[in-house]
Amino acid sequence: MPFKIISAQCTSCSACESLCPNVAISEKAGSFIIEAKRCTECIGYFDEPQCAAVCPVEGTCVIDTSLPRYQGPI
Amino acid sequence: MNAVAEPRKNVMAAEAGGKMRVIADYKGGRSSSSSSKRSCESRAAQGDLPSGIWDKIKNHPCYSEEAHHHYARMHVAVAPACNIQCNYCNRKYDCANESRPGVVSEKLTPEQAARKVAAVATSIPRLSVLGIAGPGDSMANPKKTFKTFELVATVAPDIKLCLSTNGLDLPDHVDTISRCKIDHVTITINMIDPEIGARIYPWIFFNHRRYTGIEAARILTNRQLQGLEMLTNRGILCKINSVMIPGINDQHLVEVNRAVKSRGAFLHNIMPLISAPEHGTAFGLNGQRGPTAQELKALQDACEGQINMMRHCRQCRADAIGLLGDDRRAEFTTEKIMAMDVEYDLKARRAYHAKVEDEREAQIAARQEELAKIAGEMDEIRLLAAVATKGSGLINEHFGHAKEFQIYELSTLGVKFVGHRRVDLYCQGGYAENDRLASIIRAINDCHAVFVAKIGSCPKLNLTNAGIEPVEKHAHEFIEKAAIAWFRSYLDRVKSGEIQHVQRGDAAIRQGPLISAA
Ligand code: SF4
Ligand code: SF4
Ligand code: SF4
């Protein structure tokens, strides 16, 4: 289950962008988005998902439960 | 190496003597009033400050109280990311008419920022300083921050560079700060006791993880103090900002003051908490109040003597531009600066600054002259006066147009700047004239007099009824000279029994939406 950004809450502060180890985060039309395919939930890199840990607005970088869990490198 | 270490040594030496002063100072002025005129004039502004430091700050509106009448600064908002959360900050909220640190309407790329600096410096020749202060934390955005400084140093080489930071990432960037020739850094330090810190900072993001509670505050304070020491060891001037939060860190800031002074900070700026509920900050929402004007002044006074206290801070937003209460941010939107034809004229700017220096000297000379007349007189009376001004150290603003009042403390020792009070209510339309007047009176309620260039008969009457004397007769004179002259006449009137001296009450620090100011 990759992370996603609730765009209505995003302040576009860009804090998450440079921290993502998979370069999954980019800016689109004034808000930041996560490319689900690239997100590994930070597994294998850090103990905590970086985007959620740095985001100043609680509940903005959240798990997208509609997608399957990240399986690790194949 | 020696050359960089030198200023720090001077600070220590001056502090050891217990008399370092940045802010234009009546004591320094008084003792030198008999020596040769010109040297005494510049000495009066410099105080006992070592020349190396004075050269760095004399044109800096945020660091020298006296310079802020004459020079302008600008901030560029290139650093939106932050690595900590403060309970007095809500980075979600931005209203076009509102102004707080941490808030900005337009974020710029480093290239846009450099262009903006050149455009502003050309239109406002008084501009002397560029600061990067967020809207997040400048050191949480090191690439954007340093790229901007680099570009500005190329297009506008005479502009001084400074930055503000919460200090968490500061130790990692000290070398780059020194390489970029940034000679002023402001660190916001609200505590040195992690237990108190835990009540101010819900979390920090450090080493790829989020820390909370006392652990977070401990890391933060260690990193802040380490960064401060590293900077002062390299001869980089450090100012400390502290937010005064009644019931949380108000008493503790005296200890903070001692701690930062012992690590070489040269100026301490204690600011009132801004916590209106509509700002949506944690403090605003849980009803944490800000200090009153007298509480703030008492704390600043308690810390004075330890270190220079800064009193003219206006807690400007991260994209403020201009001088005094006159924010000109709206003239320089990205759209407008991109369309502007900018030709950076270094020579014209230098000539303009020479003129500004003449202005300053005339003002200092006028004050010296008036001070000489009061010399030797002793009286217990000490009172506050408000001044309507739009800069250049003159009483040159109409009462009804003033967006802020500068507050001076008058005594037989002389005249001392102690702060400013904002009074505009731009965000809320539909205020009746009387409500507005009442709010102005609340803001300067601790003052005995208000100096103006002009005032209507109705507000005049209301002020007089409230016990504040409106003074029009010194219109367009230098503030300090006029204030001393009025104070002398006040003492005479008290002596002759014409009036009775009574203490004034407290005043309110405005908590509503703020209009940006220098
Ligand atoms: S959870 Fe990690 S990998 Fe996924 S978007 Fe956030 S920072 Fe990138
Ligand atoms: S950290 Fe949060 S608020 Fe900032 S850009 Fe990323 S998602 Fe948006
Ligand atoms: S450091 Fe500045 S931007 Fe970051 S949360 Fe605190 S006040 Fe806001």
Side-chain angles (χ1 to χ4, degrees):
Chain A
M1 289 174 279
F3 275 71
K4 65 174 178 186
I5 291 170
I6 313 284
S7 68
Q9 301 199 56
C10 174
T11 67
S12 303
C13 73
S14 79
C16 53
E17 187 186 17
S18 61
L19 288 168
C20 176
N22 296 308
V23 202
I25 307 178
S26 59
E27 190 171 5
K28 235 190 207 135
S31 177
F32 282 74
I33 53 153
I34 292 172
E35 200 182 321
K37 270 194 298 213
R38 286 176 170 248
C39 173
T40 64
E41 301 156 40
C42 282
I43 290 165
Y45 295 94
F46 303 109
D47 293 343
E48 292 173 37
Q50 300 295 289
C51 53
V54 80
C55 181
V57 192
E58 272 354 283
T60 298
C61 296
V62 290
I63 285 178
D64 186 348
T65 45
S66 69
L67 291 165
R69 251 208 104 95
Y70 173 67
Q71 295 300 314
I74 315 151
Chain B
M1 179 64 221
N2 265 345
V4 251
E6 192 69 357
R8 155 86 170 158
K9 228 169 61 200
N10 284 341
V11 173
M12 301 303 279
E15 279 181 348
K19 46 181 188 175
M20 182 178 112
R21 292 206 153 251
V22 180
I23 287 163
D25 182 2
Y26 50 83
K27 283 181 198 138
R30 225 152 73 105
S31 56
S32 59
S33 58
S34 58
S35 59
S36 97
K37 203 162 176 222
R38 192 169 174 111
S39 76
C40 118
E41 283 159 16
S42 33
R43 272 255 308 284
Q46 180 175 347
D48 295 325
L49 205 65
S51 296
I53 295 185
W54 174 244
D55 283 343
K56 283 189 180 180
I57 63 152
K58 68 176 182 198
N59 296 351
H60 197 305
C62 313
Y63 280 163
S64 158
E65 182 272 312
E66 196 256 321
H68 97 286
H69 293 290
H70 304 281
Y71 291 98
R73 59 81 188 93
M74 75 181 283
H75 289 169
V76 287
V78 293
C82 191
N83 46 14
I84 71 175
Q85 182 62 52
C86 305
N87 277 333
Y88 49 76
C89 180
N90 169 14
R91 278 172 288 147
K92 255 198 109 146
Y93 181 85
D94 175 24
C95 144
N97 288 313
E98 191 264 0
S99 163
R100 273 178 301 131
V103 168
V104 74
S105 306
E106 238 185 356
K107 287 154 200 157
L108 304 170
T109 64
E111 288 73 20
Q112 288 170 327
R115 197 182 159 81
K116 182 166 179 175
V117 175
V120 172
T122 308
S123 317
I124 308 178
R126 280 179 193 271
L127 186 82
S128 65
V129 172
L130 165 72
I132 298 184
D137 184 65
S138 61
M139 292 298 98
N141 298 261
K143 277 200 200 115
K144 286 176 186 159
T145 297
F146 291 120
K147 179 81 193 168
T148 306
F149 282 137
E150 224 172 76
L151 293 172
V152 170
T154 322
V155 297
D158 62 329
I159 298 280
K160 286 191 167 63
L161 307 175
C162 70
L163 64 85
S164 301
T165 173
N166 61 38
L168 180 61
D169 285 347
L170 181 59
D172 305 338
H173 301 291
V174 168
D175 287 335
T176 320
I177 290 173
S178 150
R179 197 161 0 102
C180 284
K181 301 217 164 45
I182 293 159
D183 45 16
H184 314 89
V185 174
T186 299
I187 314 170
T188 302
I189 300 185
N190 295 322
M191 52 89 206
I192 51 167
D193 175 350
E195 306 234 355
I196 292 174
R199 298 174 67 190
I200 305 173
Y201 305 101
W203 56 264
I204 67 165
F205 182 83
F206 181 63
N207 268 346
H208 295 286
R209 58 169 282 218
R210 189 182 272 215
Y211 292 83
T212 57
I214 291 182
E215 197 186 7
R218 184 170 297 125
I219 296 171
L220 181 62
T221 176
N222 288 341
R223 297 278 290 175
Q224 289 172 329
L225 296 178
Q226 186 195 350
L228 169 62
E229 275 182 24
M230 290 170 77
L231 288 171
T232 54
N233 281 336
R234 281 172 173 74
I236 296 164
L237 292 184
C238 292
K239 175 182 113 215
I240 305 303
N241 276 356
S242 299
V243 180
M244 177 182 183
I245 312 160
I248 294 187
N249 73 349
D250 46 350
Q251 302 302 315
H252 180 58
L253 284 180
V254 179
E255 272 169 68
V256 171
N257 180 274
R258 243 177 266 132
V260 299
K261 184 211 158 194
S262 72
R263 286 170 179 82
F266 91 111
L267 188 62
H268 192 186
N269 173 24
I270 298 180
M271 311 176 289
L273 171 72
I274 303 174
S275 66
E278 62 266 32
H279 293 155
T281 64
F283 280 149
L285 295 174
N286 75 13
Q288 171 64 50
R289 73 171 179 95
T292 68
Q294 291 304 301
E295 283 171 339
L296 178 68
K297 183 171 182 294
L299 176 60
Q300 288 172 332
D301 288 348
C303 293
E304 198 161 59
Q306 301 275 347
I307 188 173
N308 299 286
M309 296 302 295
M310 174 170 172
R311 314 250 191 179
H312 61 280
C313 173
R314 287 178 180 72
Q315 297 172 285
C316 36
R317 40 189 285 157
D319 57 358
I321 292 178
L323 182 84
L324 280 176
D326 175 31
D327 188 38
R328 297 178 57 181
R329 165 161 69 79
E331 293 167 44
F332 302 99
T333 59
T334 312
E335 204 185 315
K336 285 181 190 159
I337 53 164
M338 286 306 162
M340 266 181 208
D341 234 353
V342 180
E343 216 178 296
Y344 200 81
D345 190 341
L346 200 59
K347 236 170 100 192
R349 280 181 46 82
R350 292 229 164 96
Y352 192 92
H353 284 207
K355 231 175 65 200
V356 173
E357 286 304 305
D358 287 346
E359 220 172 64
R360 281 174 89 175
E361 281 198 4
Q363 180 193 351
I364 294 165
R367 177 185 61 197
Q368 300 300 108
E369 198 182 289
E370 206 57 43
L371 269 173
K373 293 185 200 155
I374 212 167
E377 265 185 66
M378 280 291 283
D379 200 294
E380 294 285 282
I381 293 180
R382 193 174 267 270
L383 52 81
L384 298 181
V387 179
T389 172
K390 33 184 183 197
S392 300
L394 296 166
I395 301 167
N396 54 3
E397 184 66 295
H398 193 296
F399 177 80
H401 299 164
K403 293 182 192 147
E404 65 163 27
F405 290 91
Q406 307 235 342
I407 310 296
Y408 288 81
E409 186 174 63
L410 312 180
S411 70
T412 43
L413 290 173
V415 46
K416 179 168 117 180
F417 178 83
V418 295
H420 64 91
R421 308 275 168 77
R422 290 189 229 228
V423 289
D424 52 351
L425 289 161
Y426 275 31
C427 225
Q428 297 127 304
Y431 260 80
E433 184 113 332
N434 276 344
D435 291 347
R436 194 185 139 98
L437 188 61
S439 86
I440 296 175
I441 290 175
R442 271 198 302 280
I444 59 170
N445 191 43
D446 51 352
C447 296
H448 278 78
V450 55
F451 293 83
V452 296
K454 208 169 169 38
I455 184 168
S457 58
C458 169
K460 204 181 211 168
L461 188 70
N462 279 294
L463 281 166
T464 312
N465 288 344
I468 304 169
E469 181 180 331
V471 185
E472 237 178 323
K473 97 171 210 241
H474 295 289
H476 303 287
E477 286 179 20
F478 286 115
I479 296 170
E480 290 165 323
K481 176 183 194 288
I484 305 165
W486 175 85
F487 186 66
R488 275 179 38 229
S489 82
Y490 181 88
L491 290 183
D492 288 346
R493 281 182 288 160
V494 172
K495 262 183 233 145
S496 72
E498 184 190 333
I499 51 170
Q500 230 188 340
H501 177 72
V502 282
Q503 289 299 325
R504 305 267 323 152
D506 205 343
I509 292 175
R510 215 185 89 204
Q511 287 288 327
L514 304 174
I515 279 292
S516 187

